[in-house]
Amino acid sequence: MDWSQIRALFPAADRYTYLNTAAAPPLSVLAAREGKRYYDEMAEHADVAWDRWLGEVEEVREKLAKFVHAEPRSIAFTYSTSHGMNLIAGILQHCGDVLCPADEFPSCTLPWFQQRYRVHFVCSRDRGIIDLHDVQRSITPETRILVASYVQFATGFRQDLVSLGRFCRERKLILVVDATQGMGVFPIDVFASGIDFLVFSGYKWAQAGYGVGGLYVSPRFLDIKRFPVAGWWSVRDPEAVINDRLDLKETAAALEVGCPHFAGIFALGAALSLFEEVGAARIEQRIHELTDYLHQRLDDEGLRVASPRAREQRSGITIIEMCNAPDVVKSLAEKRIIVSARGRGLRVSVHIFNTLEDIDHLVAALRELSPGVTRNAR
Ligand SMILES: Cc1ncc(COP(=O)(O)O)c(C=O)c1O
C-alpha cells in the first residue's frame, strides 16, 4: 500500500488539512466500518451474534498483545487512559510514592491524587526533555512508582522506553507508561522495556475513536487478589451468574467488569491491522520524514520549534512557539486547517494520512497570518 492509497482510507483528510492527531485524528474507513458493522448487526439481528463477537474480542486482544510484545493474558480493554490509570493505582495498593514528569497530562496524575498517593514532580528541561539525572535527584526512599507518558502531549518529547525501563529496574521502581500519544506510530515493546503497566486511549494515534483503550499488566502484577474491581464479567464463568462468591479470571481481563464495548474494540482491531499491513518501521520512518519536512519549512519561515529536534527524542508532535496560539488556531480553522494550542504555542501533529502538501498548506497559511504570529527572536 503506498501513501496515496493510505490517504484515501481517511476521507476527512481531503476535507481538512488535518494536523491534529494529538487531539484526535480521523478514523480510517476500515476502522469506522468495523465499529459500524457491530451497530448494523445489532440493528438487523439483535444479540444473536454475541458468541461470535466475544470470539472477535479475543482476536483483537491477541492482536493488541502482539503489537506491544505482550501475552494476551496481560491485556485488558478499558474505555480511557484515566480508567486504566485508576485501575493501576488500585492494583498498587499504596506501595510507595509516585514520581512523575511535571508536564504530564492529568490522566497520568489525578488518579493517584484521588487514591491518596503522594505524587512528586520532576521538571523537564528545554524543549520538554526529561533528563534521567533529574529523575534520579528526585527519588526519595519512599519513591516506588514512576509514571511517565511515552510521548508528552504538550512538548512532543518522546521517552526512550528501553533506557527508562533499565533505569527503573536498577532502582527497583515500578514503571507505568501512558502510551496514548505514541501508540500506533512508534515502537512499544513492553518486554524489552521492562514496563510494568502500560495504558493508552484508542482515540488518538491508535485511530480507533472514543471509548476504547488498552491496559497491559506485567506478569508480576497479574495477581487477581490485588485487583481493585470486579463485576459479573470478571469471573471465569459469567453465564453461571453466581453472586455469592468470587471466581475471577486469572488474567488482566478480570479488570473488564461488564460487557465489552464491541464497536470500539472492533474499530481498534481494524486500526491495528492497518498498522500491521503498512509496517511499524515504515510508519515510524514516515512520521520522521513528515516532521523533518515540517521543521525545515518552519526554520525557513523563521518560526521557532519548541519541541525536541533530535529524531530519538521526537514524536509526531511539533510545537511552534507563539504566544497567541489560541487565536491562530481559530484563524487556521476558518481555512479548514486543524491544529491545537498547547504548551508553548501551536501543536501540529502528523500521522500516516498526512502529506507534504498538508505541511505546505499550513506554512502558507501561517505566512498569510504573519502579523498574528509571534516569531521568536532567538
Ligand atoms: C498523554 C495523554 N494521555 C491521555 C490522554 C487522554 O486521556 P483519557 O483517555 O483519560 O481521556 C491525553 C489527551 O490529550 C494525553 O495527551
Side-chain angles (χ1 to χ4, degrees):
M1 218 188 292
D2 67 26
W3 296 116
S4 63
Q5 289 168 313
I6 292 167
R7 167 87 166 192
L9 297 173
F10 295 86
D14 282 338
R15 297 198 175 89
Y16 304 90
T17 301
Y18 202 90
L19 295 162
N20 205 26
T21 287
L27 260 63
S28 73
V29 290
L30 306 175
R33 196 181 297 151
E34 268 301 278
K36 191 166 169 295
R37 171 179 65 88
Y38 158 75
Y39 288 116
D40 288 343
E41 288 189 2
M42 199 66 174
E44 299 291 334
H45 301 282
D47 206 25
V48 297
W50 168 259
D51 287 335
R52 173 165 51 78
W53 292 335
L54 290 181
E56 289 172 9
V57 166
E58 294 317 304
E59 285 169 24
V60 179
R61 195 187 308 278
E62 278 173 33
K63 209 175 276 186
L64 176 54
K66 192 168 156 219
F67 200 80
V68 298
H69 299 264
E71 292 295 326
R73 64 193 311 275
S74 280
I75 299 291
F77 293 108
T78 63
Y79 63 84
S80 68
T81 301
S82 303
H83 176 202
M85 201 61 86
N86 273 283
L87 292 171
I88 298 166
I91 291 171
L92 290 180
Q93 298 179 353
H94 297 99
C95 64
D97 289 2
V98 174
L99 193 56
C100 183
D103 317 312
E104 294 301 358
F105 195 74
S107 305
C108 290
T109 58
L110 300 188
W112 305 93
F113 281 116
Q114 171 63 9
Q115 296 194 35
R116 311 289 183 267
Y117 281 79
R118 272 195 305 261
V119 182
H120 306 273
F121 291 101
V122 187
C123 287
S124 57
R125 297 195 177 189
D126 189 31
R127 299 177 185 279
I129 293 166
I130 311 295
D131 190 300
L132 289 182
H133 294 100
D134 298 337
V135 180
Q136 174 64 50
R137 272 193 289 278
S138 306
I139 294 173
T140 70
E142 285 74 43
T143 311
R144 288 285 291 127
I145 304 158
L146 185 77
V147 180
S149 53
Y150 183 19
V151 170
Q152 217 285 327
F153 79 105
T155 66
F157 169 67
R158 179 163 57 97
Q159 292 277 2
D160 172 350
L161 292 179
V162 174
S163 300
L164 193 65
R166 193 178 315 117
F167 177 92
C168 288
R169 255 194 323 280
E170 286 168 4
R171 289 154 187 82
K172 298 198 169 15
L173 298 179
I174 297 162
L175 176 57
V176 179
V177 174
D178 170 6
T180 299
Q181 294 283 9
M183 173 75 195
V185 288
F186 288 102
I188 298 171
D189 185 331
V190 291
F191 184 70
S193 305
I195 292 171
D196 294 299
F197 296 92
L198 182 105
V199 273
F200 72 94
S201 253
Y203 73 90
K204 292 187 190 278
W205 299 79
Q207 299 183 323
Y210 291 100
V212 65
L215 166 63
Y216 160 79
V217 181
S218 65
R220 75 174 170 128
F221 289 105
L222 266 185
D223 172 4
I224 51 174
K225 290 191 289 304
R226 301 167 68 115
F227 285 8
V229 291
W232 86 287
W233 199 246
S234 305
V235 303
R236 262 193 257 251
D237 184 8
E239 298 297 350
V241 286
I242 291 169
N243 72 358
D244 60 354
R245 76 197 114 91
L246 276 172
D247 181 23
L248 297 181
K249 291 167 187 156
E250 298 270 349
T251 66
L255 295 163
E256 297 163 8
V257 293
C259 296
H261 173 24
F262 290 116
I265 293 170
F266 297 165
L268 177 63
L272 293 175
S273 295
L274 177 62
F275 295 147
E276 202 174 285
E277 191 178 340
V278 178
R282 221 176 130 218
I283 292 174
E284 184 179 356
Q285 179 62 18
R286 176 69 172 171
I287 303 298
H288 280 315
E289 278 166 14
L290 291 167
T291 306
D292 284 340
Y293 184 69
L294 172 63
H295 285 196
Q296 184 57 55
R297 294 293 325 262
L298 295 172
D299 288 347
D300 293 346
E301 294 295 316
L303 292 166
R304 185 177 132 89
V305 172
S307 37
R309 301 294 300 234
R311 274 194 174 195
E312 59 278 12
Q313 294 177 326
R314 240 170 51 185
S315 61
I317 295 177
T318 294
I319 307 291
I320 309 172
E321 192 162 296
M322 72 186 61
C323 60
N324 60 341
D327 295 336
V328 175
V329 168
K330 279 192 206 132
S331 304
L332 291 172
E334 284 164 15
K335 298 171 188 289
R336 302 172 87 81
I337 300 174
I338 313 296
V339 293
S340 330
R342 281 282 187 269
R344 296 178 65 180
L346 205 67
R347 183 177 66 181
V348 177
S349 34
V350 290
H351 207 305
I352 52 172
F353 57 83
N354 288 119
T355 58
L356 301 181
E357 290 72 35
D358 290 339
I359 292 166
D360 290 338
H361 278 159
L362 170 73
V363 173
L366 286 175
R367 189 183 299 155
E368 268 179 44
L369 288 173
S370 195
V373 173
T374 306
R375 284 187 167 70
N376 195 292
R378 272 176 284 171

